[in-house]
Amino acid sequence: MAFLSSLCALLAVCATVTANNARSADLIRLLGPQGVNLVRLDSLATPRPFLKDSSEFGVQEVLSKGDGKRTYDFRAEWFQQPLDHFDDNSSHVWHQRFWVNSKYYKPGTNAPVIVIDGGETSGEDRLPFLDTGIAAILARATGGIGVVLEHRYYGESIPVSNFSTDSLRWLNNAQSAADSVNFMRNVKFDGIRENITAPGTPWIYYGGSYAGARAAHMRILYPDIVYGAIASSAVTHATLQAWEYMTVIRDAADPKCSSRIVSSIASIDAILERGYFKKQLKGLFGLAGLEHDEDFVSLLESPLGYWQAKCWDPEFGSTKFDDFCGTLSRPFSRVMAAADIESLPFEDEKRMVTFEDGFTVDVAVVNYAQWIKKNVVSRCKSTVEDCFGTFDEEKYHVTDLKQDWRLWLFQVCTEWGYFTTPPPDQKEPSLISRLINLGYESKICKQAFPPGKYFKVPGLPNITAVNELGDFAIAADRLAFIDGDVDPWRPYTPHSDYAEDRDDTILRPFKLIPGGVHHYDEWGYKKHPRGA
């Protein structure tokens, strides 16, 4: 088709237009039950849940109408879907939200429809990609139409009255894929007279991260409907323990910063293991009242996820990871010189800070504690055990529609996994505490989702449901993969070191962005620097 050469040529351009859209779901994915606590704190503290540099690490700005920044003229439209695509006896229907950009559309040319999968967040968060990002770039190049399709259960595409275990049983890969194919086969766009449904019109499916895996899966599952797909940072390999995530950050970050974090965590683990000065250590972080050591060390992971919030465009990116690194190297007092702090080895006597009762730690631990107190603990308006404790399961039993943290967690617990743990090799340097293990990270699944009348969450996620669709080796003609080489999610994509290498061809593009983090290609300039 005429548009295909333009599309394939454009992929090389897209690979250099680096960007990042890390979502709040990653907070839960990386910190498990502690992530749920932080999401709940944010929901209580502010009515603006997706703001740049919010405490939900990795979150990008919505930039939708009413936030005082960029606004969009896209009007929400609705498409009727069945709740259960695979039960002919079910008559329950709901409405899926979508938005259309037809400004570049050239009727009568059989130009493509580029659909962006909304993934595990509100579809409103994808509007930048419809306005100036990847959907607009491809639509402009091909004379096509851009669409954002909101994922079932997210945003306002909610098919149920609550988020109980039973009500969430239709939130899975198969039902979501069936939503998309039903939409492509039958949708009618306001203001467009000709039939643009698939397969008569070529549809290009785009997604990033979880949605990137869905884009790849759509090309495999429905090759007659999905003409082509672009899978950005596509996590096509599901796993129970995602320990490689932190090793990517450890190896890609400034070596001095990585060393300080690794040494600080090792020192903290040693103090907790010995038991002496445990209370003083937690008090230093403002967490003296936090009962369980696992909850304490889990909270210390919170600044690390800012790595994936890096973006080539400063309007959307976060500098908080680098700011955190800078914090670790600050002198504790006027007696300490910044140059000495940098040059001296960890726990050199000149770097040590002594408190009451002889409690002594390296200055990096003190600075780490100050960052946690300022950026995390300060948001707690009750006791630290109430805010950051994770062993009282009653706090996770509320199931009304305001508890949208339950959505991605349910998908993690049933099919996707990615529980963050330290490296299995005990000798390998770790950015996170050795007290963190799969049992601690996954216990939230039993706590939040007790067995229902019709559905029971498995003991561990059924990751086979994801991996049987292709895993690392997933491939097809007109299926493009784009990844960043320092994306902490790369170990779970076809660009993983565990995957077989493959050629980058026009028919099967396989792009790796140097210095790129999480789906860098999704963003675009509001005004292209070349005036295009």
Side-chain angles (χ1 to χ4, degrees):
M1 296 184 181
F3 79 91
L4 183 58
S5 59
S6 298
L7 174 61
C8 293
L10 193 60
L11 288 172
V13 177
C14 295
T16 63
V17 182
T18 55
N20 175 52
N21 177 41
R23 295 166 298 277
S24 62
D26 288 315
L27 189 62
I28 294 172
R29 189 154 40 205
L30 296 180
L31 275 71
Q34 196 61 263
V36 174
N37 283 343
L38 297 181
V39 170
R40 292 170 73 245
L41 274 182
D42 277 352
S43 66
L44 293 173
T46 173
R48 301 170 298 167
F50 293 100
L51 296 181
K52 184 176 177 180
D53 282 351
S54 83
S55 52
E56 292 186 28
F57 66 67
V59 174
Q60 303 291 342
E61 290 178 289
V62 177
L63 299 178
S64 58
K65 287 191 175 183
D67 67 1
K69 300 203 176 195
R70 212 182 277 184
T71 60
Y72 302 104
D73 293 327
F74 307 121
R75 179 175 59 84
E77 301 180 44
W78 302 87
F79 180 79
Q80 182 172 290
Q81 294 277 17
L83 175 63
D84 191 336
H85 290 272
F86 310 110
D87 183 358
D88 293 336
N89 295 320
S90 174
S91 60
H92 187 104
V93 296
W94 58 284
H95 290 86
Q96 187 170 25
R97 188 167 59 158
F98 67 96
W99 297 261
V100 178
N101 182 350
S102 59
K103 66 184 294 185
Y104 305 109
Y105 173 54
K106 296 180 180 178
T109 62
N110 202 36
V113 178
I114 299 97
V115 57
I116 290 187
D117 188 300
E120 71 279 37
T121 187
S122 167
E124 293 178 3
D125 300 349
R126 309 307 190 189
L127 294 183
F129 314 139
L130 188 62
D131 185 45
T132 59
I134 189 68
I137 293 170
L138 294 177
R140 183 172 59 233
T142 61
I145 299 170
V147 179
V148 167
L149 181 62
E150 191 167 61
H151 195 293
R152 62 164 51 203
Y153 284 84
Y154 291 91
E156 295 185 12
S157 297
I158 302 174
V160 292
S161 59
N162 62 66
F163 292 150
S164 67
T165 303
D166 277 342
S167 293
L168 291 173
R169 69 186 185 274
W170 297 283
L171 177 55
N172 58 49
N173 297 340
Q175 295 286 359
S176 301
D179 286 340
S180 296
V181 75
N182 186 40
F183 178 83
M184 290 185 282
R185 282 173 170 157
N186 297 294
V187 70
K188 295 180 180 180
F189 295 151
D190 290 347
I192 296 177
R193 294 183 178 180
E194 64 181 331
N195 185 348
I196 46 75
T197 58
T201 297
W203 281 66
I204 307 299
Y205 207 99
Y206 182 98
S209 194
Y210 159 68
R214 278 180 41 76
H217 295 162
M218 290 299 298
R219 178 72 182 119
I220 299 299
L221 291 170
Y222 300 103
D224 58 326
I225 299 300
V226 179
Y227 182 79
I230 304 174
S232 178
S233 296
V235 287
T236 57
H237 174 74
T239 184
L240 296 179
Q241 300 191 61
W243 60 269
E244 299 92 343
Y245 181 100
M246 291 297 179
T247 64
V248 172
I249 300 174
R250 182 198 66 198
D251 296 341
D254 178 86
K256 289 184 178 179
C257 179
S258 288
S259 176
R260 298 297 185 230
I261 299 172
V262 168
S263 297
S264 295
I265 294 299
S267 176
I268 290 167
D269 276 358
I271 294 172
L272 294 174
E273 183 179 358
R274 290 194 302 266
Y276 300 112
F277 299 120
K278 180 187 293 189
K279 184 175 181 179
Q280 289 88 336
L281 174 66
K282 291 183 179 180
L284 184 64
F285 284 79
L287 297 165
L290 195 55
E291 179 181 354
H292 294 87
D293 294 346
E294 297 93 334
D295 290 339
F296 171 65
V297 294
S298 177
L299 203 59
L300 306 190
E301 298 178 48
S302 55
L304 305 181
Y306 281 114
W307 175 266
Q308 81 167 60
K310 289 173 174 284
C311 182
W312 60 272
D313 187 341
E315 181 179 358
F316 299 106
S318 170
T319 62
K320 273 206 167 182
F321 184 88
D322 296 331
D323 295 342
F324 170 68
C325 285
T327 296
L328 296 182
S329 299
R330 291 175 184 168
F332 178 70
S333 67
R334 294 181 180 179
V335 177
M336 292 183 175
D340 291 340
I341 294 298
E342 282 294 306
S343 61
L344 294 173
F346 189 84
E347 292 189 341
D348 182 275
E349 63 178 359
K350 293 182 180 180
R351 290 179 55 93
M352 302 303 285
V353 180
T354 301
F355 298 90
E356 294 181 4
D357 302 324
F359 174 54
T360 304
V361 291
D362 187 273
V363 65
V365 176
V366 177
N367 289 332
Y368 204 137
Q370 291 179 339
W371 193 97
I372 294 293
K373 286 174 68 175
K374 177 182 177 181
N375 293 277
V376 182
V377 180
S378 64
R379 293 156 44 213
C380 179
K381 305 305 179 184
S382 57
T383 68
V384 294
E385 183 64 30
D386 181 55
C387 290
F388 307 117
T390 69
F391 287 82
D392 178 11
E393 65 181 41
E394 291 297 324
K395 68 196 298 184
Y396 306 119
H397 284 179
V398 182
T399 62
D400 62 62
L401 297 183
K402 294 180 181 179
Q403 314 305 315
D404 55 4
W405 58 267
R406 297 177 63 83
L407 302 177
W408 177 245
L409 181 63
F410 183 83
Q411 294 189 260
V412 165
C413 293
T414 52
E415 294 183 321
W416 288 88
Y418 302 122
F419 300 107
T420 306
T421 55
D425 184 349
Q426 296 294 311
K427 296 180 180 179
E428 185 173 347
S430 177
L431 293 183
I432 66 174
S433 171
R434 292 284 175 184
L435 296 179
I436 300 298
N437 56 38
L438 178 60
Y440 173 78
E441 290 290 291
S442 64
K443 70 183 179 67
I444 185 65
C445 296
K446 292 182 180 179
Q447 293 173 311
F449 305 111
K453 181 179 179 181
Y454 304 102
F455 187 83
K456 181 180 179 180
V457 169
L460 288 172
N462 178 24
I463 58 176
T464 301
V466 176
N467 295 334
E468 67 184 1
L469 296 177
D471 208 319
F472 291 126
I474 188 170
D477 291 348
R478 299 190 300 275
L479 171 55
F481 289 99
I482 306 175
D483 292 295
D485 69 343
V486 293
D487 182 358
W489 291 107
R490 185 167 73 88
Y492 318 108
T493 75
H495 273 104
S496 171
D497 292 341
Y498 299 133
E500 294 290 334
D501 196 15
R502 63 177 83 177
D503 293 331
D504 173 26
T505 67
I506 291 178
L507 198 56
R508 297 187 175 192
F510 195 63
K511 309 291 184 183
L512 187 64
I513 304 171
V517 188
H518 207 44
H519 41 105
Y520 256 37
D521 56 293
E522 200 158 5
W523 303 88
Y525 287 108
K526 187 174 184 180
K527 293 184 179 180
H528 197 284
R530 291 194 296 248

